[in-house]
Amino acid sequence: MYLLMPDLAIIALDAMGGDFGPEVVLPAAVQVIKKHKNVAIILVGDEVVLKAQAELSGIDLNGILAGRIEIQHASQIVEMHDEPALAIRKKKDSSMRVAIDMVKDGRAQAAVSAGNTGALMGTAKFVLKTLPGIDRPAICTTIPSMTGHTHMLDLGANVDCSGENLCQFAIMGSVLAEAVDNIDRPRVGLLNIGSEAMKCNAMVKEADALLANAPINYIGFVEGDDIYNGSTDIVVCDGFVGNVSLKTSEGVAKMISHFMKEEFSKGLYNKIAAMIAMPVLKAFKKRIDPRAYNGASMLGLNGIVIKSHGGTDAFGFTRAIEIAVLEVEKSVPQHIRSRMEPLLEKAV
């Protein structure tokens, strides 16, 4: 049906993935459709469960939503503990696999899932394949900074990388920032433990040499605090370092929030101070709300796949869908392909 509507961005949602499944995915889908008139949603999952959840949530799929939202039945679910190889071999009719298959077949332009990260990356790479010139896909997300946000990759897809892999990540991150942020020549930094080359390991040293001649605005080494101070637009690292950095940042944010709640609840004066400071506290919370930055791009694939945090709520999942919509509108994979083509020709 949606192929008859060429002006719509068609997004396939793995409606069964994540910690909450349809309970979160359905209201998020409705919110996106109401907000974005150019979007259609395909809910992929158990049709009986999805219709029951829609009724429970008071969502009328046959009302004003008809024509822009429909259900694609899938009989299996990829569990959070499933091994990627098992998901690929044994669960070909899972909601995750069917959503990605729809992207491959052109029935959808992007897929969004809050499911098992390893299974999602493995399935997406198996089904969609990587773009020419890209050896490995990378997970990229935005992180709040003092001046807006910073794109960071890889965040866990590739624990062991080569300098060539990091160079490819940098090019993909640069293309993404150009497309979605409308930045001309975004600044790309290579994460290191210092600004001096003598502090590099072999992988980072190799990547630095390659990036110096890459068709991007490479600014050299950056350190951990540069992720947040606005001095760079893209931070590049291997998946081990990236994932540890991300999880550490999330942990620090939770700790600060916990300490603030504790201190403001101690005694009458602190409680009064909390009431006075409430507008500032709410504004601060909004600026660093991880839900507002939910949705990580799996860059380097022949298609758009967005990973949502498994434990997010409807607001967070809405953001993940909106990232998919934006990447469809900006044709991110096609831009990455066009950037890699001259490099491949040069290498021949």
Side-chain angles (χ1 to χ4, degrees):
M1 177 178 68
Y2 294 122
L3 295 179
L4 301 177
M5 303 177 182
D7 294 332
L8 291 178
I10 305 164
I11 313 298
L13 306 181
D14 170 11
M16 312 303 291
D19 296 343
F20 305 108
E23 181 183 342
V24 161
V25 175
L26 263 68
V30 172
Q31 184 63 32
V32 169
I33 283 180
K34 289 181 177 179
K35 182 178 178 181
H36 301 274
K37 303 302 181 184
N38 65 327
V39 177
I41 297 290
I42 303 175
L43 300 168
V44 185
D46 188 309
E47 186 171 8
V48 173
V49 173
L50 292 176
K51 287 183 176 179
Q53 183 62 48
E55 183 176 353
L56 184 65
S57 304
I59 299 172
D60 183 6
L61 298 177
N62 297 315
I64 60 172
L65 301 176
R68 292 183 59 205
I69 187 168
E70 69 176 26
I71 294 174
Q72 171 64 52
H73 180 68
S75 62
Q76 296 174 302
I77 300 174
V78 174
E79 305 292 348
M80 298 302 280
H81 60 268
D82 283 345
E83 291 292 330
L86 182 147
I88 294 171
R89 293 197 313 267
K90 302 294 186 180
K91 296 192 173 183
K92 297 181 181 180
D93 195 44
S94 69
S95 53
M96 178 186 291
R97 175 66 175 267
V98 173
I100 295 173
D101 281 340
M102 297 186 84
V103 175
K104 179 185 178 183
D105 298 339
R107 291 181 289 162
Q109 293 160 287
V112 183
S113 174
N116 180 319
T117 303
L120 183 64
M121 175 58 82
T123 302
K125 185 177 180 181
F126 176 77
V127 173
L128 298 175
K129 312 306 181 191
T130 56
L131 290 164
I134 301 298
D135 297 324
R136 301 179 181 182
I139 298 175
C140 179
T141 196
T142 54
I143 296 173
S145 72
M146 295 179 188
T147 58
H149 61 255
T150 302
H151 297 274
M152 188 171 179
L153 72 167
D154 178 37
L155 295 177
N158 306 281
V159 175
D160 297 311
C161 294
S162 66
E164 180 65 30
N165 294 145
L166 295 184
C167 184
Q168 293 172 9
F169 298 166
I171 294 171
M172 293 192 294
S174 180
V175 171
L176 180 70
E178 287 176 359
V180 303
D181 294 334
N182 297 313
I183 301 175
D184 184 30
R185 289 180 55 76
R187 299 161 297 175
V188 179
L190 181 61
L191 192 62
N192 193 27
I193 60 172
S195 59
E196 304 89 356
M198 60 185 294
K199 293 184 177 180
C200 297
N201 59 28
M203 173 190 63
V204 173
K205 185 173 293 186
E206 179 190 2
D208 177 58
L210 293 171
L211 287 169
N213 297 306
I216 57 175
N217 181 19
Y218 176 54
I219 63 172
F221 299 128
V222 296
E223 298 185 67
D225 57 340
D226 293 309
I227 299 171
Y228 306 98
N229 65 20
S231 62
T232 184
D233 300 302
I234 302 103
V235 172
V236 178
C237 58
D238 65 78
F240 182 88
V241 171
N243 192 268
V244 171
S245 298
L246 180 66
K247 296 297 174 61
T248 301
S249 300
E250 292 174 349
V252 170
K254 290 177 181 177
M255 182 185 68
I256 292 173
S257 176
H258 175 76
F259 285 168
M260 290 177 68
K261 288 179 181 178
E262 276 192 342
E263 294 303 320
F264 276 125
S265 64
K266 291 180 179 179
L268 177 61
Y269 290 117
N270 284 26
K271 291 179 181 179
I272 294 173
M275 293 177 62
I276 295 172
M278 192 58 65
V280 175
L281 293 174
K282 287 183 176 179
F284 174 73
K285 182 179 179 180
K286 184 177 181 180
R287 289 186 69 176
I288 64 171
D289 187 351
R291 301 177 305 162
Y293 299 89
N294 184 49
S297 306
M298 293 191 168
L299 297 179
L301 298 167
N302 278 295
I304 297 169
V305 178
I306 304 298
K307 172 66 174 75
S308 167
H309 194 290
T312 194
D313 60 9
F315 173 75
F317 201 83
T318 296
R319 284 294 300 131
I321 301 172
E322 289 179 328
I323 289 173
V325 173
L326 182 58
E327 292 195 16
V328 169
E329 292 174 346
K330 298 293 186 177
S331 303
V332 170
Q334 291 86 340
H335 282 299
I336 294 175
R337 179 189 290 269
S338 64
R339 184 66 65 85
M340 293 302 298
E341 283 177 350
L343 298 180
L344 293 174
E345 293 174 359
K346 185 178 179 180
V348 173

